[in-house]
């Protein structure tokens, strides 16, 4: 594989010294209050802008770089924005037009804007006029506090609110892709759909054929496709809909510039009291199948351990694998059940590009090469390891560790710093992604089934970045939409 400059994911530790320097320059006192009605050039003292839902335009330098700061919201089932205790900072020249990133400012926290931050530089393409330490923002109890640190200056003023029609248009297009309301498909339609998906998988793009003439276990994506990675959706349909309606992800799928990669385990709820419920798992697969047919060369599913009917697949003693098989058989018939088994057998196990390498669970702990991954049907132990293993622990001596991650990168001829992304093992129940896990540089865990927030990895410019979005109640909202896409 052609080597390229490898994107890196932001690490807080690498900026600690810089942040301490910024803190040292903040000084004391809250400055003066400002009712923001027009553009205002900041001086050397702090300015407090009362919290009143106002969107703010920030101009760094003499209009050298403009950013917008918006109050973050979540949509309720009626499509009404519900304020959250956070703001997001975006580049309006890119936001909503192409895949981009943002910064989040949360309550009682502060954020420093400046070109010394490598991720900000990737996100916002700061010009030379933006200083290494340019502006500090503080989200206080009842105001936003701005402190200019640069001789080039900073001004702030009111910004237009985000246009609602852009998000509404994406929701309508998602409904159109699904073919109507987001509801379980009738039995005959579901059967036709999965049969068509299997036909596509038998000749799936970017997968070398194995010795049986079928696509092998390795999916190698070209760098021209911007990756959009999610993992372990576990029947949280709104989480996937939220991702597809945010940023410019759906637009990039439609124009052919991005690829959506699902790292397995789309089924089997992990929510308390929902472990036996299988209808949302069926609906999730209906949605994924619709997306695969609409974007056959841009939507990919990598196998996980829950993509199985095994009696060993259980959660808290509940045999989810067997319950999944029974639900499909009862609702859609034995032919559909067999078709789902065929779908599972056709899935890849590892996905890579010059930007990243990913699988559902773990790097192999034994020798591996590209040929083995392509001919993975010959290596059942390798299959199980990729979808079942976890990080090494005292009670798990067969787990993987730092050296195994490096060996997988070398086997795929990737740069040693290429991000390695897995799902399978959430570190806690509060978050949705974790960076540099176990102290392994550029080794990240992604769990996209948190009901409140959904994590995504994507590429902005040359850099792989993590993004987190509040989950919106989109299924009922999409189901109330009518009319054509505007």
């Amino acid at each position: 594989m052609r080597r390229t400059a490898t994107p890196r994911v932001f690490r807080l530790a690498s900026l600690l010294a810089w942040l301490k320097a910024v803190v040292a320059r903040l000084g004391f006192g809250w400055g003066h209050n400002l009712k923001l009605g027009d553009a205002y050039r900041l001086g050397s003292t702090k300015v407090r802008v009362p919290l009143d839902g106002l969107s703010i335009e920030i101009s760094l330098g003499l209009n050298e770089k403009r950013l917008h700061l918006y109050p973050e919201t979540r949509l309720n089932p009626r499509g009404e924005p519900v304020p959250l205790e956070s703001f997001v900072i975006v580049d309006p020249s890119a936001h909503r037009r192409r895949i981009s990133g943002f910064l989040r400012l949360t309550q009682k926290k502060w954020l420093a804007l400046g070109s010394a931050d490598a991720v900000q530089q990737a996100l916002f393409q700061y010009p030379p006029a933006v200083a290494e330490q340019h502006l500090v923002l503080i989200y206080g109890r009842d105001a936003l506090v701005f402190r200019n640190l640069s001789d080039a200056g900073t001004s702030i003023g009111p910004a237009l609110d985000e246009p609602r029609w852009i998000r509404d248009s994406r929701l309508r297009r998602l409904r159109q892709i699904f073919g109507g309301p987001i509801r379980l498909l009738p039995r005959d339609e579901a059967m036709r759909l999965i049969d068509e998906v299997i036909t596509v998988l038998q000749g799936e793009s970017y997968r070398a054929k194995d010795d049986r003439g079928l696509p092998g276990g390795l999916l190698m994506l070209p760098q021209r496709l911007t990756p959009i990675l999610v993992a372990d959706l576990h029947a949280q349909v709104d989480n996937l809909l939220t991702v597809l309606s945010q940023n410019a992800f759906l637009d990039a799928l439609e124009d052919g510039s991005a690829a959506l990669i699902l790292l397995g385990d789309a089924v089997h709820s992990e929510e308390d009291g929902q472990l036996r419920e299988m209808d949302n798992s069926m609906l999730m697969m209906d949605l994924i199948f619709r997306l695969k047919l609409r974007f056959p060369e841009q939507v990919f599913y990598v196998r996980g351990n829950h993509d199985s009917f095994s009696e060993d697949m259980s959660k808290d003693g509940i045999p989810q694998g067997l319950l999944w098989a029974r639900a499909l058989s009862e609702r859609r018939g034995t032919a559909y059940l067999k078709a789902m088994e065929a779908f599972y057998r056709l899935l890849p196990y590892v996905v890579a590009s010059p930007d990243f390498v990913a699988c559902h669970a773990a790097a192999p702990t034994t020798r591996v090469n590209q040929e083995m991954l392509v001919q993975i049907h010959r290596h059942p132990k390798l299959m199980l390891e990729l979808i079942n293993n976890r990080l090494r622990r005292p009670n798990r001596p067969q787990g993987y560790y730092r050296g195994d991650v490096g060996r997988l990168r070398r086997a795929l001829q990737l740069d040693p710093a290429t991000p390695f992304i897995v799902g399978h093992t959430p570190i806690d129940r509060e978050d949705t992604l974790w960076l540099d896990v176990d102290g392994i540089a550029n080794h990240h865990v992604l769990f996209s089934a948190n009901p409140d927030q959904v994590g995504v990895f994507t590429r902005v410019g040359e850099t792989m970045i993590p993004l987190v979005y509040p989950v919106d109640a989109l299924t009922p909202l999409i189901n109330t939409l009518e009319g054509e896409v505007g």
Side-chain angles (χ1 to χ4, degrees), residues 400-422:
Y400 73 97
Y401 77 116
R402 184 190 312 268
D404 302 314
V405 175
R407 183 170 54 248
L408 178 61
R409 289 170 175 143
R410 290 192 297 274
L412 296 171
Q413 300 178 354
L414 296 172
D415 187 278
T418 301
F420 174 54
I421 300 168
V422 297

Side-chain angles (χ1 to χ4, degrees), residues 103-143:
L103 301 178
R104 178 176 282 112
L105 177 63
T106 56
Q107 195 171 42
K108 299 180 181 178
K109 301 291 184 181
W110 61 275
L111 182 65
L113 298 183
S115 59
D117 183 335
V119 166
Q120 288 187 38
Q121 188 63 41
L123 294 180
F124 301 146
Q125 300 289 303
Y126 286 137
V130 175
E132 290 186 356
Q133 302 169 15
H134 200 110
L135 176 70
V136 169
L137 298 88
I138 304 171
Y139 187 173
R141 181 172 57 86
D142 58 359

Side-chain angles (χ1 to χ4, degrees), residues 275-286:
L275 300 183
R276 295 178 178 275
E277 194 276 325
M278 294 293 155
D279 279 4
N280 281 326
S281 292
M282 266 185 270
L283 180 59
M284 175 67 79
M285 295 312 300
D286 288 346

Side-chain angles (χ1 to χ4, degrees), residues 46 71 107 147 318 343-344 442 454 462:
K46 289 186 248 185
Q107 195 171 42
R147 172 69 183 275
I318 295 174
F343 168 77
Y344 290 152
N442 293 310
V454 56
E462 301 254 330

Side-chain angles (χ1 to χ4, degrees), residues 119-380:
V119 166
Q120 288 187 38
Q121 188 63 41
L123 294 180
F124 301 146
Q125 300 289 303
Y126 286 137
V130 175
E132 290 186 356
Q133 302 169 15
H134 200 110
L135 176 70
V136 169
L137 298 88
I138 304 171
Y139 187 173
R141 181 172 57 86
D142 58 359
L144 289 170
V145 181
F146 296 82
R147 172 69 183 275
N148 174 56
L149 301 177
S150 171
D151 292 338
T154 303
S155 62
I156 58 176
L160 295 176
D161 290 331
E162 288 196 278
R164 286 281 305 278
W165 66 266
I166 297 177
R167 190 94 186 273
D168 290 345
S169 172
R170 291 183 184 134
L171 298 181
R172 292 182 185 278
R173 280 141 58 197
L174 286 169
R175 177 183 169 115
Q176 192 177 65
I177 289 168
F178 194 78
I182 311 295
R183 298 180 185 136
L184 278 176
L185 296 176
R187 178 170 172 160
D188 290 347
E189 188 175 352
M191 190 72 230
R192 287 193 298 272
L193 178 62
I194 195 171
D195 281 344
E196 291 176 12
V197 168
I198 288 170
T199 299
V200 170
L201 282 182
Q202 288 170 340
E204 190 167 45
S205 301
Y206 311 122
R207 295 172 65 185
K209 295 292 181 67
D210 63 22
D211 55 16
R212 304 168 301 174
L214 294 174
L218 177 61
L219 173 65
M220 295 292 291
L221 296 178
Q223 193 171 29
R224 63 177 177 79
L225 291 176
T226 299
I228 307 162
L229 288 110
V230 297
D232 295 70
L233 285 161
H234 284 297
Q236 297 289 343
V237 175
D238 279 342
N239 290 37
L240 180 55
L241 294 172
T242 293
V243 170
L244 292 170
S245 63
Q246 286 284 8
N247 212 314
F249 292 140
L250 182 59
D251 309 65
L253 291 176
E254 291 173 332
D255 69 22
S257 63
L260 174 66
I261 303 112
L262 306 165
L263 296 179
D265 284 13
V267 299
H268 303 164
S269 175
E270 300 228 320
E271 290 297 292
D272 294 339
Q274 297 294 314
L275 300 183
R276 295 178 178 275
E277 194 276 325
M278 294 293 155
D279 279 4
N280 281 326
S281 292
M282 266 185 270
L283 180 59
M284 175 67 79
M285 295 312 300
D286 288 346
L287 176 57
I288 290 170
F289 291 160
R290 287 291 197 208
L291 290 166
K292 180 63 179 176
L293 285 188
R294 175 64 178 80
F295 308 107
E297 297 187 358
Q298 295 161 266
V299 172
F300 301 96
Y301 193 101
V302 176
R303 188 163 186 176
N305 61 312
H306 279 262
D307 301 313
S308 165
F309 301 121
S310 170
E311 62 184 11
D312 296 327
M313 178 43 56
S314 65
K315 178 78 172 180
D316 295 343
I318 295 174
Q320 289 184 309
L322 294 179
L323 291 175
W324 179 224
R326 185 172 73 184
L328 290 180
S329 180
E330 290 177 352
R331 178 67 69 93
R332 290 179 170 173
T334 56
Y336 188 91
L337 177 64
K338 291 179 180 179
M340 188 68 78
E341 288 180 312
F343 168 77
Y344 290 152
R345 288 194 299 269
L346 286 167
L347 293 175
Y349 285 76
V350 173
V351 55
S353 84
D355 294 317
F356 73 97
V357 56
C359 61
H360 174 68
T365 58
T366 56
R367 182 182 68 87
V368 67
N369 56 46
Q370 291 193 40
E371 180 65 15
M372 291 171 66
L373 293 172
V374 171
Q375 305 294 343
I376 200 165
H377 70 99
R378 295 182 181 178
H379 305 281

Side-chain angles (χ1 to χ4, degrees), residues 53-74:
L54 185 68
S55 298
I56 297 174
E57 181 171 272
I58 302 169
S59 294
L60 303 177
L62 298 174
N63 292 326
E64 297 284 343
K65 186 64 185 184
R66 295 191 178 197
L67 302 175
H68 283 182
L69 183 147
Y70 294 113
E72 192 167 24
T73 61
R74 168 182 277 123

